[in-house]
Amino acid sequence: MVKEVQTSSRLPARKKFTLYLAGSIAGIVTALWLLNLLFPLPTPQQSGEGFTQVVTDRHNQVLRAFPDKNGVWRYPTTPDEVSADYLNALLSYEDRWFYYHPGINPVSLLRAAIQNIRCDCIVSGGSTITMQVARRFSPHARSINGKLQQILRAFQLEWHYSKEEILTLYLNYAPMGGVIEGVAAASQMYLGKPASELSLAESALLAVLPQAPTRLRPDRHPERARAARDKVLKRLYTQGKITLEQLEYAQLENIVALAPSTPQLAPLLSRQLINSYTNKPVIQTTLDGELQRELQALLAEEIQRFPEHQSAAILLVDNHERSVKAYLGSADFTDDSRFAHVDMIQATRSPGSTLKPFIYGLAIDQGLIHSASLLRDIPRHLRSYQPDNFAQSFSGPVDATTALHQSLNLPAVQVLEALGPASFSAALENAGTPYLIPGDGKPSLALALGGGGFSAWKLASLYSALANGGEVQALRLVTTPENTSGSHGSGHEKRWLLSPEASWVTLNMLRQSRPDRIRSAALMTSHPHMAWKTGTSYGYRDAWAVGVTPTYTMVVWFGRPDGTPSPGQYGAVTALPLLFRLQQRLDPSPAWPQPPAGVSTQSICWPSGKSASDTPSDQCHVAHTATLVREQIPPTLRDIDADGTSPGTLTIRIDKNGQVLGRNCTLENPESRHQLKTLAIWPGNLEPWIAPHLRRSGQLPENSPDCEPLTIAADPLRIVGIEEDQTLMPASFTNTQALALNTLGGYGRKALYLNGTYHSEADSSGLFRIELSRPGPQEIVVVDSQGTLARVRFNFELRPDQINGH
């Protein structure tokens, strides 16, 4: 009976204790919950502390970085992106039990308290990594109350975040000296490398730096930093984390730290990218950082040869990836006198002659011409568009490949006239690279010579398409797949400009050796490995050179961003030498692909343009080997605006003596004794440039005396007053020579061209009056209203005393 009473008396006590304990726990939890609500843990987002926006290359090398709004350099990173040696050093030195404690380490706190009491000073805080993160976002005084606050905040952190998240906060926000925070920023700014590449010695250095970031800054106090680093290394050894050999090797490594600075690689592009991706802390580009650095140094050196205010730009594209490997929007970002902050890659400029290959390519695709078609480098008198010839002379008959090699203006205009300016403009629009046309916006023949707006970016897109079978695709600047909008995206929309056959033929037409005018011995060697084209805009405002190999497309621009002319600076002498330096550095001996199945070669004949196998030998005046697309052999282009100048054939009757039978022959039944002969007739306006025996008059046999003479052309146009190959020399008292020239034959109004440039029409007396002032070879061409031409070449020389100015 007594035992029952004792048992029953103890049960209420146990229940009472259990209820008391549960209530206490509930009270503590409630109190903590209320404290958490009343005093929420500050976070980086709440404090407005963001990350440095970083633009990197394809290998994660920093190209340029922009601090947060407080001017702090903080590169975002995660434990997976940091060297394993660093994590090992950090956890071993700062918090060995990080993954096991609830936010505080009682043993460490007790040890710190004993050390501080013995010293009567602050020797150690006993802080865990969690406590250090808590103090970073909730600062407190170094006191007992402050330490209690830090402990509570540490519990709060562990409540809200995982261990990995707490460690990530430490990696990103640990103080590293001055305005540098986080291991990634410290590694990049002090050591010039990403945190993933830290050595054991460097890891130990950065692991201890937050203990005293000002006193241990490696760029200012290398000896202090070394001593602290070695302390960490020894602790790693005593804990068995590294071997003796690793310890000794790491201790031998010197402290070599940079003064904090940020790279200035691709600065203009980087600014554009952070404006486009405002919420993205790391923007990884397709650029190659080392190549970017090399080309920036090269261009900064190259631009010193040019006057003040001149700038330059380089765009390098990987044809296989359609990605940008180097982006230099200005010549020298540190030189404001050269418009350092104006990005000439995206600027709209006149492309000069750089779009000519696409005129030829489209015409080839449409069966209008082939690579050896007969074109005309002659004046366009009385036409709606009459451009000057950059070469200051006329070549007369020229094949399409040579016309493209020499960048002749007039043949390009002839081809564009046959193709149609509207068709050419629409093709560029459909390819996603529209040609900006000034004025009323209507396409005209001026598009052939840069009469509109284009950019280096668009040029790179088009020329890269030549290396990819005519397929135009948006160039890639960033590696993130979802970024598909605008020129900075990585969109993969494909558009066709040319067929693979026409693209290959066009690119092959552009392959040529370096011109003789490049005098550098290093650049004089023959390099047909690159297809290239130069261009110069009106008034020498833009000098272009574009090169293509199977691997790369390279665009080079020189000029003044403010549009001021730069006389004497044009593509072939200004931009082309640098282009060849790039090619020699990047792709000196590429392997060119074989032609597509639809490309073939065949011998064709001038003047008809037909296949040699289908042309009688006496009508094949000049034979060329043409590269054909889909076996198309178009005839020679007709001159659609000029009468009587188109190529063709003329069939005549000749008697047994080979004489021409004209009209009203006195012979009895002459038809019974004649035979037909067909002559190949050249365009009439090319006759001044062809051999006399190939001209119409030179091909006609003598007229039969029994018939009226056969007349097939008006009186020929001749220039009177100067003879072919004559040499003129002025009087001793002057350096100029006046000429008065007349003409015979021809029809209607006549115009004179001097050295490839329109000079004047005849005056009221029918004379042309010229004053020569430039010594050297001279060319005069006169053209009448029917397109008939006369041509004479001569020399104008000065005496030695006149040259020396005596």
Side-chain angles (χ1 to χ4, degrees):
M1 188 67 181
V2 175
K3 291 181 180 179
E4 292 180 1
V5 171
Q6 290 176 345
T7 302
S8 62
S9 64
R10 285 198 302 269
L11 288 175
R14 288 180 179 178
K15 287 182 179 180
K16 187 182 296 185
F17 176 77
T18 302
L19 291 173
Y20 176 79
L21 181 61
S24 298
I25 293 173
I28 292 172
V29 171
T30 302
L32 290 174
W33 180 74
L34 287 174
L35 286 172
N36 182 67
L37 289 179
L38 293 174
F39 303 99
L41 182 70
T43 63
Q45 293 76 18
Q46 292 172 343
S47 61
E49 296 180 271
F51 286 110
T52 299
Q53 267 197 292
V54 181
V55 180
T56 72
D57 76 347
R58 60 177 54 213
H59 307 298
N60 289 315
Q61 292 285 342
V62 175
L63 298 175
R64 196 178 180 196
F66 301 83
D68 72 358
K69 65 179 184 180
N70 298 319
V72 176
W73 296 97
R74 186 184 303 110
Y75 296 1
T77 192
T78 65
D80 292 338
E81 298 170 337
V82 175
S83 165
D85 283 334
Y86 174 78
L87 294 177
N88 189 26
L90 173 67
L91 295 175
S92 297
Y93 186 76
E94 289 285 357
D95 195 350
R96 293 178 63 188
W97 308 106
F98 171 72
Y99 284 104
Y100 306 101
H101 61 63
I104 66 170
N105 186 336
V107 176
S108 297
L109 286 174
L110 181 60
R111 182 178 62 249
I114 294 172
Q115 290 175 342
N116 294 342
I117 291 171
R118 287 176 176 175
C119 176
D120 194 23
C121 63
I122 298 176
V123 176
S124 172
S127 297
T128 63
I129 286 178
T130 307
M131 292 172 69
Q132 293 181 54
V133 172
R135 185 176 62 215
R136 169 64 180 78
F137 294 111
S138 182
H140 58 78
R142 296 178 70 90
S143 63
I144 299 296
N145 288 335
K147 180 60 68 173
L148 290 174
Q149 177 185 333
Q150 184 184 17
I151 291 172
L152 291 174
R153 288 297 193 188
F155 286 138
Q156 200 174 13
L157 268 172
E158 295 281 350
W159 186 0
H160 286 280
Y161 296 99
S162 69
K163 289 290 186 179
E164 288 300 309
E165 289 172 328
I166 294 171
L167 180 59
T168 299
L169 287 172
Y170 181 89
L171 295 179
N172 283 289
Y173 290 91
M176 293 289 184
V179 292
I180 302 173
E181 290 189 357
V183 62
S187 179
Q188 191 67 56
M189 301 189 78
Y190 288 130
L191 305 175
K193 62 172 61 176
S196 60
E197 297 178 7
L198 290 171
S199 68
L200 175 59
E202 292 166 339
S203 295
L205 171 66
L206 296 188
V208 75
L209 184 56
Q211 291 284 329
T214 300
R215 190 173 64 86
L216 299 179
R217 272 187 59 164
D219 61 317
R220 296 181 179 176
H221 309 293
E223 291 305 318
R224 293 180 193 168
R226 184 182 192 123
R229 180 203 69 182
D230 290 349
K231 180 180 178 182
V232 175
L233 291 170
K234 289 175 182 176
R235 181 172 297 185
L236 288 171
Y237 172 67
T238 59
Q239 293 177 358
K241 302 293 184 179
I242 61 175
T243 65
L244 179 61
E245 183 181 6
Q246 287 176 308
L247 170 66
E248 293 174 345
Y249 184 80
Q251 287 177 327
L252 291 174
E253 192 170 312
N254 290 325
I255 300 291
V256 180
L258 307 170
S261 63
T262 58
Q264 291 287 348
L265 297 177
L268 296 178
L269 172 62
S270 297
R271 174 62 69 179
Q272 293 174 31
L273 290 176
I274 66 161
N275 290 335
S276 299
Y277 305 104
T278 54
N279 297 320
K280 194 171 179 59
V282 179
I283 305 169
Q284 186 180 34
T285 71
T286 61
L287 270 61
D288 184 317
E290 292 305 316
L291 186 58
Q292 178 77 20
R293 188 189 309 276
E294 179 183 344
L295 296 189
Q296 283 186 193
L298 171 64
L299 191 55
E301 172 192 342
E302 185 78 12
I303 200 63
Q304 299 307 313
R305 300 191 299 107
F306 295 87
E308 192 179 27
H309 307 306
Q310 287 276 333
S311 188
I314 297 175
L315 183 62
L316 176 65
V317 174
D318 184 312
N319 291 327
H320 301 306
E321 300 177 353
R322 305 295 183 98
S323 62
V324 176
K325 298 291 289 291
Y327 188 111
L328 288 77
S330 64
D332 186 347
F333 189 68
T334 65
D335 190 348
D336 288 336
S337 70
R338 297 189 182 277
F339 302 92
H341 298 275
V342 180
D343 185 356
M344 298 309 298
I345 298 296
Q346 302 294 339
T348 298
R349 308 289 290 193
S350 165
S353 296
T354 56
L355 292 180
K356 285 177 181 176
F358 304 98
I359 296 174
Y360 286 87
L362 287 165
I364 289 171
D365 232 355
Q366 295 184 19
L368 298 174
I369 63 170
H370 49 61
S371 67
S373 286
L374 170 60
L375 301 178
R376 312 177 200 195
D377 186 29
I378 58 175
R380 290 175 52 84
H381 183 51
L382 300 180
R383 307 293 183 87
S384 59
Y385 182 55
Q386 303 179 50
D388 289 338
N389 208 340
F390 191 81
Q392 296 188 333
S393 64
F394 298 106
S395 302
V398 61
D399 67 272
T401 299
T402 300
L404 188 54
H405 279 184
Q406 298 180 4
S407 196
L408 300 176
N409 290 342
L410 295 161
V413 171
Q414 181 193 0
V415 175
L416 180 58
E417 192 170 41
L419 178 67
S423 176
F424 177 58
S425 179
L428 295 180
E429 180 91 29
N430 292 336
T433 54
Y435 204 152
L436 301 181
I437 302 171
D440 60 7
K442 294 181 179 179
S444 68
L445 295 176
L447 299 184
L449 309 182
F454 224 65
S455 66
W457 184 266
K458 292 179 183 178
L459 280 177
S461 298
L462 289 181
Y463 276 86
S464 182
L466 290 180
N468 285 280
E471 181 186 77
V472 182
Q473 188 173 312
L475 301 181
R476 296 175 55 242
L477 261 174
V478 294
T479 60
T480 310
E482 65 269 19
N483 296 327
T484 58
S485 60
S487 61
H488 296 150
S490 57
H492 297 281
E493 182 181 0
K494 299 176 181 178
R495 306 185 182 193
W496 289 97
L497 177 66
L498 299 172
S499 68
E501 296 83 5
S503 180
W504 190 92
V505 171
T506 303
L507 200 58
N508 196 55
M509 290 169 67
L510 288 171
R511 290 177 63 188
Q512 55 179 317
S513 300
R514 300 174 179 182
D516 291 338
R517 59 186 143 212
I518 300 180
R519 300 300 180 187
S520 170
L523 301 179
M524 285 289 288
T525 56
S526 177
H527 276 269
H529 302 297
M530 180 170 64
W532 56 271
K533 184 72 186 73
T534 59
T536 307
S537 65
Y538 178 76
Y540 300 97
R541 289 173 170 82
D542 305 274
W544 298 94
V546 187
V548 180
T549 69
T551 306
Y552 294 108
T553 291
M554 298 158 274
V555 179
V556 176
W557 173 89
F558 278 85
R560 286 187 50 147
D562 62 0
T564 301
S566 303
Q569 302 295 337
Y570 54 94
V573 300
T574 304
L576 190 59
L578 180 57
L579 176 67
F580 277 115
R581 289 182 68 180
L582 295 179
Q583 184 250 334
Q584 188 64 27
R585 158 65 177 82
L586 297 167
D587 204 9
S589 301
W592 281 86
Q594 293 299 310
V599 173
S600 59
T601 58
Q602 193 168 142
S603 180
I604 62 97
C605 292
W606 283 4
S608 69
K610 296 179 181 179
S611 169
S613 60
D614 298 331
T615 305
S617 60
D618 61 340
Q619 295 177 34
C620 190
H621 295 174
V622 180
H624 285 270
T625 299
T627 307
L628 307 178
V629 167
R630 299 180 293 276
E631 298 186 350
Q632 299 177 112
I633 308 179
T636 298
L637 283 177
R638 294 182 174 272
D639 199 331
I640 62 176
D641 283 343
D643 297 331
T645 65
S646 297
T649 58
L650 175 66
T651 301
I652 59 174
R653 298 181 302 155
I654 58 174
D655 61 20
K656 64 180 180 180
N657 298 318
Q659 295 178 321
V660 178
L661 297 175
R663 295 178 300 167
N664 301 325
C665 295
T666 59
L667 299 174
E668 295 181 5
N669 192 18
E671 288 78 3
S672 63
R673 294 189 295 270
H674 82 272
Q675 60 182 357
L676 298 179
K677 181 178 178 63
T678 301
L679 308 178
I681 303 301
W682 288 71
N685 48 20
L686 287 179
E687 290 208 339
W689 283 269
I690 63 177
H693 71 280
L694 298 179
R695 299 171 186 170
R696 299 186 187 199
S697 58
Q699 291 190 67
L700 279 176
E702 293 182 1
N703 283 289
S704 170
D706 300 320
C707 307
E708 292 183 10
L710 179 66
T711 303
I712 64 169
D715 292 338
L717 179 63
R718 290 189 295 140
I719 299 172
V720 179
I722 188 72
E723 298 294 331
E724 184 77 12
D725 296 328
Q726 184 177 349
T727 296
L728 299 180
M729 192 172 292
S732 58
F733 55 82
T734 181
N735 290 340
T736 62
Q737 176 73 48
L739 284 180
L741 303 178
N742 203 345
T743 58
L744 294 177
Y747 176 81
R749 294 166 55 190
K750 301 181 181 71
L752 182 142
Y753 290 77
L754 176 62
N755 297 324
T757 303
Y758 173 80
H759 184 273
S760 62
E761 291 195 7
D763 62 19
S764 57
S765 63
L767 295 177
F768 295 100
R769 301 186 185 277
I770 303 170
E771 185 168 295
L772 303 173
S773 59
R774 179 179 63 83
Q778 312 287 323
E779 179 189 60
I780 290 176
V781 175
V782 174
V783 57
D784 69 8
S785 298
Q786 290 185 329
T788 306
L789 293 101
R791 173 177 177 243
V792 63
R793 290 167 295 179
F794 60 96
N795 292 301
F796 173 55
E797 297 181 359
L798 298 177
R799 295 183 178 86
D801 59 330
Q802 293 173 316
I803 296 175
N804 296 329
H806 297 302

